């Protein structure tokens, strides 16, 4: 049972916590469109690890000083100049022969991962690996206070993050007012994803296929965890 579940809805809600707030908690990070879906896809496809950076310059410095590490990410949804990859999960379905690790920087997702790095356990969740994350939490983190961290869209709330957080709570049989979202969108998750701020922007820039990719439920069975050295790797 998870008796204590707190949902963080947007950056102001996860970045402004008092010192020590994350200690003792299990943080589950959602950036469904697209950063956490990208991390899950890359790790299930054979990349060994992902390093998340809020700032582009930090990702660049890291990739320059680490072997077999590609720069990946976006701003405004589009890849940065000089980067090997953007933030489309479909780019990582087959591992590149040249790279084992990604230095990833995105508008919100990597920002959320950095913000919660002080938690006892940081889990990367998406619709792609939802049931496996639920199983992992039941098996390994039962009784731990749970923080569901919705990365958001810019400074705003992000509907698709909240919907998938609600779906995780349903799988964990946790009680929370956010569960009412599930009834509202039950018949049409695609409508939710496409009408959200992130989703409509992806449609505008021709990346509808990414939205459809991220809508696949339980395609993967990887549980990405943030290790003490700052690398996100699959749980063993
Ligand atoms: C983010 O981290 O804000 C997103 O993943 C944005 C995107 O990929 O378009």
């Amino acid at each position: 049972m998870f008796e204590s579940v707190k949902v963080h809805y947007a950056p102001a809600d996860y970045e402004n916590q008092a010192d020590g707030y994350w200690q003792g908690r299990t943080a589950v990070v959602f950036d469904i469109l697209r950063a956490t879906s990208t991390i899950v896809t890359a790790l299930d496809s054979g990349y060994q690890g992902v390093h998340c950076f809020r700032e582009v310059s930090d990702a660049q410095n890291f990739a320059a000083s680490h072997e077999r590490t590609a720069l990946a990410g976006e701003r405004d949804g589009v890849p940065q100049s000089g980067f090997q990859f953007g933030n489309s999960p479909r780019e990582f379905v087959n591992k590149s022969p040249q790279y084992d690790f990604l230095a990833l920087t995105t508008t919100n997702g990597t920002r959320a991962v950095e913000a919660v790095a002080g938690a006892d356990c940081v889990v990367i969740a998406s619709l792609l690996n939802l049931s496996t994350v639920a199983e992992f939490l039941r098996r390994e983190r039962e009784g731990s206070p749970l923080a569901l961290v919705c990365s958001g869209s810019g400074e705003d709330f992000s509907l698709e993050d909240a919907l998938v957080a609600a779906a995780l709570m349903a799988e964990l049989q946790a009680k929370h007012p956010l569960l009412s979202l599930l009834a509202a969108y039950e018949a049409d998750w695609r409508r939710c994803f496409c009408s959200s701020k992130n989703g409509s922007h992806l449609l505008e820039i021709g990346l509808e296929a990414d939205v459809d990719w991220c809508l696949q439920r339980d395609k993967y069975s990887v549980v990405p965890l943030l290790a003490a050295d700052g690398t996100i790797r699959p749980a063993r």
Side-chain angles (χ1 to χ4, degrees):
M1 282 289 284
F2 290 91
E3 307 223 321
S4 164
V5 182
K6 165 106 175 88
V7 181
H8 298 263
Y9 292 98
D13 202 15
Y14 56 75
E15 285 184 334
N16 298 334
Q17 297 298 339
D19 285 352
Y21 171 83
W22 296 101
Q23 219 176 333
R25 292 174 201 268
T26 297
V28 184
V29 181
F30 303 84
D31 188 329
I32 305 307
L33 297 174
R34 300 165 288 173
T36 58
S37 300
T38 292
I39 295 169
V40 167
T41 302
L43 293 182
D44 203 279
S45 302
Y47 283 86
Q48 290 179 29
V50 179
H51 301 261
C52 285
F53 297 95
R54 180 188 167 122
E55 303 297 338
V56 170
S57 57
D58 290 339
Q60 286 169 325
N61 291 338
F62 184 89
S65 56
H66 289 79
E67 288 183 1
R68 306 189 66 76
T69 302
L71 272 167
E74 56 69 42
R75 287 296 181 273
D76 285 330
V78 295
Q80 294 288 283
S81 109
F83 277 37
Q84 286 78 31
F85 299 107
N87 186 34
S88 166
R90 295 174 298 129
E91 292 175 279
F92 305 102
V93 173
N94 296 312
K95 189 172 102 64
S96 158
Q98 286 175 284
Y99 303 107
D100 292 321
F101 295 92
L102 300 176
L104 180 69
T105 176
T106 69
T107 313
N108 281 71
T110 57
R111 180 176 171 186
V113 172
E114 271 202 12
V116 306
D120 281 15
C121 177
V122 177
V123 185
I124 304 299
S126 67
L127 199 51
L128 297 165
N129 67 340
L130 196 71
S131 292
T132 314
V133 166
E135 266 169 49
F136 170 84
L137 293 171
R138 277 193 298 265
R139 193 178 64 242
E140 305 283 342
R141 307 300 302 172
E142 184 103 55
S144 165
L146 210 55
L148 304 188
V149 181
C150 300
S151 300
S153 182
E155 301 311 315
D156 299 336
F157 166 79
S158 169
L159 186 54
E160 70 279 7
D161 291 346
L163 185 64
V164 178
L168 179 66
M169 287 192 278
E171 292 219 12
L172 295 174
Q173 298 183 324
K175 293 189 176 29
H176 194 280
L178 200 60
L179 287 167
S180 57
L181 268 189
L182 291 176
Y185 285 98
E186 194 173 29
D188 200 353
W189 281 55
R190 195 168 194 283
R191 178 171 60 93
C192 164
F193 278 38
C194 290
S195 62
S196 71
K197 187 175 164 187
N198 273 329
S200 44
H201 181 61
L202 289 171
L203 262 55
E204 264 167 42
I205 62 175
L207 292 174
E208 188 168 350
D210 279 358
V211 176
D212 286 320
W213 185 269
C214 299
L215 271 161
Q216 300 174 95
R217 188 164 181 158
D218 295 328
K219 180 177 176 63
Y220 294 130
S221 55
V222 66
V223 179
L225 299 179
L226 181 65
D229 69 354
T231 317
I232 297 171
R233 296 178 190 272
R236 303 246 166 243

